Amino acid sequence: MELKRPQTQTQVAILSFTFFSLFILTVGLDDQVQAGERYVQMRAGAAFKIAVFADLHFGENAWSDWGPDHDVNSVKVMNTVLDNETPTDFVVYLGDVVTANNILIANASLYWDQAISPTKSRNIPWASVFGNHDDTPFVWPLEWFSAPGIPPLNCAALNSTYSGEEACSFRGTQRERFELMKHDMEHGVLSYSSNGPIDLWPSISNYVIQVSSSDDPKSPVVYLYFLDSGGGSYSEVISNAQVEWFQKKSEEINPNSSVPELIFWHIPSQAYKNVAPQAGNGIDQPCVGLINKEPVASQEAELGIMDLLVKRPSVKAVFVGHNHGLDWCCPYEKLWLCYARHTGYGGYGDWPKGARIIEITQQPFSIKSWIRMEDGVVHSRVTLSP
């Protein structure tokens, strides 16, 4: 989605900036199961709870007051959600963690550290998926060319691998591995994020995590799939290559569709348009939600992923962000299409902030979800799988 800017700011030039390297793999468990898949294990006798943080948009207008203030408020939202949903077992960062078109290259890791700090400080593992604003061209503010000139810049820390002019560089980088991967490997010890298969490039963050039984780490309870829905430096789409990868991987690790599957990506598929309540109207059953303030801004094309998902009885729900003014879940065929809730104070829209919560119970099996708001209120409870 496009971001609202102060009216005094004009886009006058663009330099490419890519924020690929947030998505690396650091596995903190000894064994790997199911042909090398990573896993997180449920606690004995407890449900497995996931908090979904969407569209944080850290790093906006760092040269002004409102940008850093938004980041502080976004951290407060995440802290409030995690405090109210204790214990949380896992966190999903559902794209647009940063607004890359506002960020100095060498500062990207600083904003990433700030965004994950509420999760990391509680020793909660997390996973991330790429959003369109994590990979967006830098936009020069017109004010920088006026009499006051370029404002003081918060360049990279002294221990950064960048130095000199490079530390304050706005030069473009390609959508490939560079210094932020090293940073996340060194500091993101709880991160389950992954680049995904190299043959899916330029698409990244395509991977799967197994949620294992408390009794046996080799016994899957749910599979969590993460897919890159594009945007930024290339088309907003889940490609045919990604569809083929998902089909091969799911048939490899879950050949009989006996284990439930949840899917996460950032930009909604076109199928969301088919089930969406009319924008601006209320949300009626069977849909469940509270805000419906804008039309669905979907991917550019549908290249087979939804056809594949609806044919798999194991797929229970898809979760997306991107639209800040939507938080509903609606049934589609035999699965659910769900939005998260705009978590960050960055980005467009002044609707109250919150996060989607997903709760998985093993015995008896169920997947339930609700929205936890920044003021502590809970709404829009829905059962996604009995």
Side-chain angles (χ1 to χ4, degrees), residues 134-251:
D134 297 310
D135 174 20
T136 306
F138 181 80
V139 180
W140 290 88
L142 182 60
E143 295 95 324
W144 288 19
F145 300 92
S146 65
I150 295 177
L153 301 175
N154 176 26
C155 297
L158 294 177
N159 61 354
S160 170
T161 53
Y162 294 91
S163 61
E165 293 182 359
E166 189 179 22
C168 277
S169 175
F170 295 92
R171 64 174 174 78
T173 62
Q174 296 179 352
R175 191 179 178 90
E176 60 186 25
R177 297 168 177 83
F178 69 116
E179 288 296 329
L180 279 176
M181 176 183 290
K182 180 180 178 181
H183 172 83
D184 209 4
M185 290 177 66
E186 290 176 346
H187 302 290
V189 294
L190 294 169
S191 173
Y192 279 67
S193 303
S194 175
N195 300 326
I198 189 65
D199 56 355
L200 296 182
W201 188 90
S203 177
I204 59 172
S205 67
N206 301 285
Y207 58 100
V208 58
I209 297 171
Q210 175 177 306
V211 178
S212 297
S213 168
S214 61
D215 301 325
D216 181 4
K218 295 183 179 180
S219 177
V221 176
V222 171
Y223 286 112
L224 311 177
Y225 284 88
F226 300 84
L227 293 168
D228 179 4
S229 54
S233 64
Y234 81 107
S235 299
E236 296 181 350
V237 68
I238 293 177
S239 70
N240 180 259
Q242 291 170 275
V243 175
E244 292 179 354
W245 171 82
F246 178 90
Q247 182 173 20
K248 180 179 179 181
K249 176 59 67 176
S250 60
E251 290 177 352

Side-chain angles (χ1 to χ4, degrees), residues 315-355:
V315 176
K316 303 304 180 183
V318 179
F319 301 93
V320 302
H322 195 55
N323 282 108
H324 300 182
L326 302 174
D327 72 353
W328 44 257
C329 284
C330 289
Y332 176 75
E333 302 289 340
K334 296 181 179 180
L335 55 88
W336 286 82
L337 301 182
C338 291
Y339 276 96
R341 176 81 186 207
H342 186 199
T343 307
Y345 271 75
Y348 73 92
D350 58 0
W351 304 288
K353 315 306 178 188

Side-chain angles (χ1 to χ4, degrees), residues 8-28:
T8 57
Q9 187 173 351
T10 305
Q11 299 179 351
V12 297
I14 293 179
L15 295 176
S16 176
F17 178 88
T18 303
F19 200 72
F20 161 80
S21 313
L22 297 179
F23 305 97
I24 57 86
L25 167 64
T26 305
V27 181

Side-chain angles (χ1 to χ4, degrees), residues 1 94-96 129-133 227-232 234-238 264-270 272 296-300 318-323 339:
M1 297 298 297
L94 199 58
D96 284 4
V129 70
F130 215 73
N132 53 303
H133 277 284
L227 293 168
D228 179 4
S229 54
Y234 81 107
S235 299
E236 296 181 350
V237 68
I238 293 177
F264 299 87
W265 64 64
H266 180 68
I267 303 175
S269 66
Q270 293 188 359
Y272 275 71
V296 171
S298 70
Q299 298 169 32
E300 298 172 30
V318 179
F319 301 93
V320 302
H322 195 55
N323 282 108
Y339 276 96

